């Protein structure tokens, strides 16, 4: 198998297919701005072909028992494990992460695959009681048909696994629209699926731009479920388009997640989790800790601890470095301009606020870890997601104030509180408006069997992964049995 070809083609059925446009876009390494290779610039014609192929393949795939589908997906996991280093190398090149991070992320993706492969043995419905004598009933899960999956690049192999495995175990065929910034990561999973003998056409990958190939996928009448992870702005557009034809939609969107440090917190632990939440993966996590809410009583102390530790963070692609570049030039420019406008409105940059000036980062997209303070709760910088290593410090008078600041956002993805007070911990986790709430930890992190997702502008209420993801990719059918007692003898 060609590990990283000069041209990354679409995969439709069993074939690598040149896009009908015959055009390709540059796949750029964010660490040094070099061009790794090129990827297909697809459009609606490619999508129509993928849908036709997926439709036929889905009939075969759905005819297999869920147990058999699970066994085949397990084979894919084994292959991914065998090729873990190669997958990780692609992730490193496309995202500028360290090999250690990329291997960890690939391991996490495989664990998600194994979880859903096992669900083939547990694709449960329910048995129902009935008020009618001699009647019994049950629900069974049926595939939706074709699943259109759209992913971003921040944790590319995990993003792919979170969607592909639950969609496939439920008996759907998949059309995966890769991220412009990480096309190779989607491509390799489909290549490995063919290698282990998954039926051609059940995992198709199309590359290209959101408007040119993503939107046709969202609009196509034969694509019964759309699962999207990305920005709130695009998610809202997808909700409208898919809503017009009543397709099932799952939206996993942005966040502006609060991490609260109380006056009774273990400040050293709170510091470690703040650094990881705000800056690991260059802050490119939907779940990053982008608002650090600190009690007045410990504010100055925690602020100096945080500035000192942040200034020691090392950027680069080495395993010992703390984080790498942001994904592309446009994102870097957006961040610089957001910090600049915040400063003009009175924000104080405590550290960072600029791109790295290290000679080895000259051509890469490195944003220095940035902490801002003196921002109002309704300022643009407090409300909008920057998706980079930038966080803001907010001062809270007391617990009630901290909770109210935490909830002062249109987003509601994750949240964290650092406290040794049991009452605060319980009250916060129950009352913060977020899909995930953590005590004495980071704002990020999940496990294959944990449902993840947000409220408000962070999503539409669906959850991936966990068994809850099965609800996105299957439809429930209620089956009623009426017995004729006079026919028993
Ligand atoms: P993005 O919304 O710009 O793009 C995401 C994907 O959508 C890409 O593949 C893109 O090509 C595609 N796309 C863009 N426009 C489209 C359209 N009109 N129709 C169909 N598809 C379209 O997001 P991004 O900048 O790549 O990713 C960062 C965002 O993703 C952040 O907001 C982050 O919070 C979010 N995210 C959320 C989660 C979660 O689980 N909630 C996880 C990771 C990332």
């Amino acid at each position: 198998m060609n590990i990283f070809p000069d041209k990354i083609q679409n995969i439709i059925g069993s074939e690598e297919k040149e896009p009908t446009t015959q055009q390709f876009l540059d796949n750029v390494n964010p660490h040094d701005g070099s061009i790794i290779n090129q990827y297909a610039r697809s459009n609606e014609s490619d999508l129509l072909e993928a849908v036709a192929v997926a439709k036929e393949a889905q009939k075969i795939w759905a005819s297999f028992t869920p147990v058999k589908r699970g066994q085949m997906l397990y084979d894919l996991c084994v292959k991914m494990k065998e090729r873990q280093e190669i997958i990780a190398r692609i992730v490193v090149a496309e995202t500028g992460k360290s090999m250690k991070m990329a291997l960890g992320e690939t391991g996490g993706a495989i664990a998600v695959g194994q979880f859903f492969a096992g669900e083939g043995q547990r694709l449960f419905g329910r048995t129902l009681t009935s008020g009618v004598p001699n009647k019994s009933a049950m629900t069974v899960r049926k595939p939706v048909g074709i699943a259109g999956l759209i992913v971003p690049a921040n944790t590319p192999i995990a993003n792919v696994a979170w969607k592909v495995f639950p969609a496939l175990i439920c008996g759907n065929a998949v059309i995966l629209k890769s991220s412009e910034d990480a096309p190779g990561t989607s491509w390799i999973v489909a290549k490995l699926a063919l290698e282990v003998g998954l039926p051609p056409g059940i995992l198709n990958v199309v590359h290209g731009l959101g408007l040119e190939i993503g939107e046709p996928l969202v609009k196509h009448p034969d694509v019964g479920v759309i699962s999207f992870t990305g920005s709130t702005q695009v998610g809202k557009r997808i909700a409208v388009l898919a809503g017009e034809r009543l397709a099932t939609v799952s939206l996993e969107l942005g966040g502006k997640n609060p991490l609260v440090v109380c006056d009774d917190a273990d400040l050293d632990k709170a510091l470690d989790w703040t650094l990881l939440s705000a800056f690991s993966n260059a802050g490119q996590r939907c779940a990053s800790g982008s608002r650090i809410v600190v009690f007045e009583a410990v504010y100055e102390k925690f602020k100096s601890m945080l500035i000192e530790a942040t200034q020691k963070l090392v950027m680069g692609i080495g395993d010992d470095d703390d984080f790498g570049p942001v994904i592309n030039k446009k994102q870097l420019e957006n961040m610089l301009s957001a910090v600049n406008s915040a400063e003009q409105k009175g924000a104080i940059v405590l550290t960072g606020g600029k791109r790295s000036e290290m000679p080895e980062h000259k051509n890469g997209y490195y944003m220095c870890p940035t902490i801002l303070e003196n921002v109002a709760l309704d300022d643009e910088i407090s409300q909008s997601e920057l998706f980079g290593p930038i966080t803001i410090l907010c001062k809270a008078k007391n617990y009630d104030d901290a909770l109210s600041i935490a909830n002062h956002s249109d987003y509601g993805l994750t949240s964290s509180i650092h406290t040794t007070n049991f009452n605060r911990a319980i009250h916060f986790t129950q009352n913060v408006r977020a899909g995930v709430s953590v005590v004495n930890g980071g704002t990020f992190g999940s496990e294959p069997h944990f449902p993840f997702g947000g409220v408000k502008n962070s999503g539409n209420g669906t959850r991936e992964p966990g068994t809850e993801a099965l609800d996105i990719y299957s439809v429930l059918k209620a089956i009623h049995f009426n017995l004729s007692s006079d026919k028993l003898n």
Side-chain angles (χ1 to χ4, degrees):
M1 181 206 292
N2 196 349
I3 293 315
F4 218 14
D6 292 341
K7 287 191 168 153
I8 304 177
Q9 306 284 7
N10 292 329
I11 298 186
I12 299 178
S14 59
E15 288 179 54
E16 297 219 33
K17 283 256 175 174
E18 180 123 339
T20 45
T21 60
Q22 296 189 323
Q23 290 177 26
F24 289 83
L25 297 160
D26 289 340
N27 190 17
V28 178
N29 182 331
H31 165 61
D32 57 11
S34 62
I35 294 169
I36 310 162
N37 52 12
Q38 294 192 305
Y39 63 92
R41 180 174 187 171
S42 318
N43 67 17
E44 194 170 359
S45 317
D46 304 294
L47 179 77
L48 294 178
E49 191 183 344
V51 169
V53 166
K55 222 173 177 174
E56 286 310 307
Q58 194 266 337
K59 291 180 199 156
I60 300 167
W61 184 238
S63 75
F64 296 171
T65 64
V67 174
K68 179 168 175 183
R69 294 198 292 262
Q71 283 160 347
M72 295 180 90
L73 292 180
Y74 190 79
D75 293 344
L76 174 57
C77 295
V78 171
K79 185 58 77 182
M80 287 173 72
K81 183 90 194 145
E82 260 171 53
R83 304 286 171 85
Q84 187 166 354
E85 199 187 317
I86 290 162
I87 300 172
R89 266 173 34 209
I90 295 176
V91 172
V92 168
E94 293 189 328
T95 64
K97 292 180 201 208
S98 67
M99 190 63 185
K100 186 169 136 194
M101 284 274 289
L103 280 170
E105 187 188 313
T106 310
I110 295 166
V112 166
Q114 287 168 331
F115 172 77
F116 284 109
E119 284 308 296
Q121 291 160 322
R122 290 180 293 269
L123 216 54
F124 300 138
R126 284 194 299 150
T127 53
L128 309 169
T129 57
S130 171
V132 178
N134 294 323
K135 181 168 179 170
S136 62
M138 63 180 179
T139 60
V140 292
R141 286 187 188 276
K142 291 286 174 190
V144 181
I146 300 177
L149 312 180
I150 304 177
V151 288
N154 63 325
T155 47
I157 187 69
N159 295 344
V160 166
W162 276 33
K163 295 192 188 301
V164 162
F165 284 102
L168 287 178
I169 195 66
C170 289
N172 304 289
V174 162
I175 300 176
L176 170 64
K177 190 262 173 232
S178 70
S179 160
E180 292 90 320
D181 295 306
T185 314
S186 291
W187 169 85
I188 190 145
V189 177
K191 286 290 283 179
L192 296 179
L194 287 172
E195 210 177 307
V196 297
L198 262 72
I202 63 147
L203 177 50
N204 308 284
V205 179
V206 287
H207 312 286
L209 305 177
L211 280 176
E212 293 178 358
I213 182 71
E215 256 193 52
L217 176 60
V218 173
K219 287 179 180 165
H220 198 288
D222 291 339
V223 178
V225 50
I226 298 290
S227 178
F228 170 80
T229 296
S231 62
T232 298
Q233 190 194 2
V234 174
K236 285 184 176 176
R237 166 127 186 99
I238 287 176
V240 170
L241 293 174
E244 272 171 14
R245 58 184 187 86
L246 297 182
T248 302
V249 195
S250 171
L251 301 172
E252 298 292 348
L253 310 176
K256 193 79 181 176
N257 311 294
L259 183 150
V260 175
V261 182
C262 297
D263 53 358
D264 62 332
D266 175 335
L267 290 189
D268 291 323
K269 276 214 179 103
L271 176 66
D272 290 347
W273 282 113
T274 300
L275 292 169
L276 287 170
S277 299
F279 304 126
S280 66
N281 207 34
Q284 299 170 111
R285 297 181 190 279
C286 52
S288 80
S290 42
R291 295 185 295 140
I292 312 302
V293 184
V294 186
F295 275 38
E296 209 165 53
V298 290
Y299 185 86
E300 289 305 327
K301 182 172 181 199
F302 190 74
K303 176 170 123 182
S304 35
M305 287 166 74
L306 182 59
I307 295 172
E308 193 189 332
T310 301
Q311 287 172 344
K312 288 190 188 142
L313 294 176
V314 179
M315 289 184 282
I317 51 170
D319 281 352
D320 294 329
D321 295 335
D322 293 292
F323 65 87
V326 299
I327 197 73
N328 58 40
K329 191 168 172 212
K330 191 168 155 228
Q331 289 281 63
L332 175 66
E333 285 166 355
N334 287 346
M335 285 165 209
L336 292 168
S337 121
V339 172
N340 195 295
S341 7
E343 264 187 291
Q344 281 171 17
K345 285 191 194 128
I348 298 168
V349 177
L350 296 172
T351 186
K354 53 182 187 218
R355 73 186 287 177
S356 167
E357 285 159 1
M358 305 282 280
E360 62 269 37
H361 299 156
K362 195 167 64 121
N363 298 318
Y365 313 128
Y366 282 87
M367 176 80 196
C368 293
T370 300
I371 309 171
L372 301 167
E373 73 168 357
N374 202 35
V375 294
L377 291 184
D378 288 318
D379 282 356
E380 176 79 13
I381 196 99
S382 309
Q383 291 295 327
S384 56
E385 183 192 43
L386 296 174
F387 216 56
I390 300 169
T391 196
I392 59 177
L393 267 183
C394 313
K395 199 184 284 182
K397 290 188 203 74
N398 50 31
Y399 172 78
D400 284 342
D401 195 28
L403 178 62
S404 142
I405 294 171
N407 281 335
H408 195 94
S409 170
D410 290 336
Y411 290 108
L413 191 55
T414 69
S415 58
S416 160
I417 186 165
H418 283 258
T419 181
T420 45
N421 180 326
F422 180 71
N423 304 292
R424 282 175 176 166
I426 300 248
H427 192 271
F428 182 82
T429 51
Q430 293 290 332
N431 291 286
V432 68
R433 293 268 291 132
V436 179
S437 192
V438 177
V439 177
N440 295 332
T443 49
F444 68 99
S446 196
E447 296 184 33
H449 51 299
F450 289 10
F452 181 88
V455 299
K456 300 194 273 185
N457 272 348
S458 294
N460 66 341
T462 56
R463 295 291 181 260
E464 290 176 318
T467 49
E468 288 77 3
L470 303 173
D471 296 335
I472 299 168
Y473 298 105
S474 59
V475 281
L476 284 185
K477 181 183 278 182
I479 300 177
H480 307 196
F481 296 101
N482 290 295
L483 308 185
S484 300
S485 49
D486 56 336
K487 302 250 167 67
L488 288 175
N489 291 303

